[in-house]
Amino acid sequence: MRILIVEDDPALADGLLRSLEQLGYAVDCAGNGEQANTMLKDAVYDLAILDLGLPKLDGTEVLRRLRQRGGRTPVLILTARDAVEDRVQGLDLGADDYLTKPFNLVELEARVRALIRRGQLGSNASLNCGRLVFDPSGRRASCGDVPLELSSRELGVLEVLMLRQGKVVNKEQIMEALCNWDEDLGDNAIEVYIHRLRKKLESSGTRIRTIRGLGYLLETNEN
Ligand code: CA
């Protein structure tokens, strides 16, 4: 899952970046509105966290342009405590939620999970494939009632495969979901994650098939 943070306060942006990366999200940052506008045009994000007071292009203008292009990326706006009009304008322009500064990181993380879940799955909470269950909001997977011990990257790969189960997922799609622009994982790293996941899914009644030259396919063993 890929998140864009748009914030011109470097300390705040850095704090957000660290805490979201720890949760296993791929995170990019933009320090001004113009840069954010370009990045939202060029890449697909699962969520944008948008400060409103920004240099070059105001946050409300970034949001207006995103929605005008038909962009459906969920947007969480950050506003000053007293800026009620900004908040109302933001929601009118198509923001999905807001937080007032200063905010608690735990609360931000909860909002982020809720917005991503809503964006990806509508109201449906978990993904299933045979006995394998993935809970995107809690960032965990289990086989029946038994929790699987997966790293955040392994969870990321599994999430992509489960969202597109029954379809072939190529390495670029996995990379896009796992990495921000500063990272380059490479084909080998993806192969390593797939290899580890296969081992951990051995008793789950599912398997990850390699479709030579195309990618990977998650399916149940009953097929
Ligand atoms: Ca600002």
Side-chain angles (χ1 to χ4, degrees), residues 5-223:
I5 296 169
V6 188
E7 172 59 64
D8 59 324
D9 174 343
L12 180 53
D14 193 51
L16 288 173
L17 173 82
R18 282 163 199 252
S19 72
L20 293 173
E21 279 189 342
Q22 259 174 14
L23 293 175
Y25 297 112
V27 186
D28 289 317
C29 289
N32 66 63
E34 254 173 33
Q35 193 189 0
N37 189 51
T38 305
M39 290 171 89
L40 285 165
K41 270 195 272 188
D42 291 349
V44 177
Y45 289 96
D46 300 289
L47 174 70
I49 297 173
L50 181 66
D51 181 30
L52 291 184
L54 292 169
K56 295 195 178 173
L57 197 62
D58 200 62
T60 51
E61 189 54 31
V62 174
L63 177 59
R64 189 198 314 275
R65 292 186 190 184
L66 171 70
R67 295 296 184 238
Q68 257 172 9
R69 291 193 295 272
R72 290 165 60 187
T73 305
V75 173
L76 172 67
I77 52 179
L78 303 177
T79 67
R81 188 167 289 281
D82 52 352
V84 181
E85 279 175 23
D86 282 357
R87 223 176 295 160
V88 172
Q89 194 192 2
L91 292 172
D92 282 348
L93 282 171
D96 297 85
D97 200 358
Y98 68 86
L99 265 179
T100 50
K101 293 180 186 179
F103 51 81
N104 183 315
L105 269 183
V106 175
E107 187 181 2
L108 175 105
E109 289 170 6
R111 303 275 182 107
V112 164
R113 282 197 293 268
L115 285 172
I116 287 184
R117 184 179 60 216
R118 234 193 280 164
Q120 288 289 327
L121 309 163
S123 59
N124 192 356
S126 61
L127 296 163
N128 297 280
C129 180
R131 287 188 300 125
L132 186 62
V133 182
F134 182 87
D135 167 12
S137 58
R139 308 291 305 153
R140 64 189 159 223
S142 59
C143 172
D145 294 332
V146 184
L148 294 172
E149 301 227 347
L150 303 180
S151 70
S152 61
R153 282 266 161 90
E154 289 162 3
L155 273 172
V157 175
L158 181 62
E159 185 171 32
V160 181
L161 291 171
M162 288 193 84
L163 281 167
R164 297 179 174 87
Q165 61 181 280
K167 294 181 194 141
V168 178
V169 181
N170 64 36
K171 284 181 178 166
E172 287 73 36
Q173 289 169 316
I174 295 175
M175 214 112 62
E176 166 97 353
L178 288 187
C179 300
N180 61 28
W181 280 349
D182 300 329
E183 288 172 298
D184 190 9
L185 264 186
D187 288 1
N188 291 343
I190 302 281
E191 280 164 23
V192 170
Y193 293 129
I194 292 282
H195 175 75
R196 288 194 201 143
L197 258 183
R198 275 196 179 119
K199 284 199 160 170
K200 294 181 180 181
L201 295 181
E202 262 168 7
S203 60
S204 71
T206 61
R207 65 175 171 222
I208 301 169
R209 264 173 60 197
T210 301
I211 311 295
R212 198 163 286 282
L214 291 176
Y216 303 99
L217 178 70
L218 179 72
E219 59 185 18
T220 64
N221 285 337
E222 292 126 40
N223 292 351

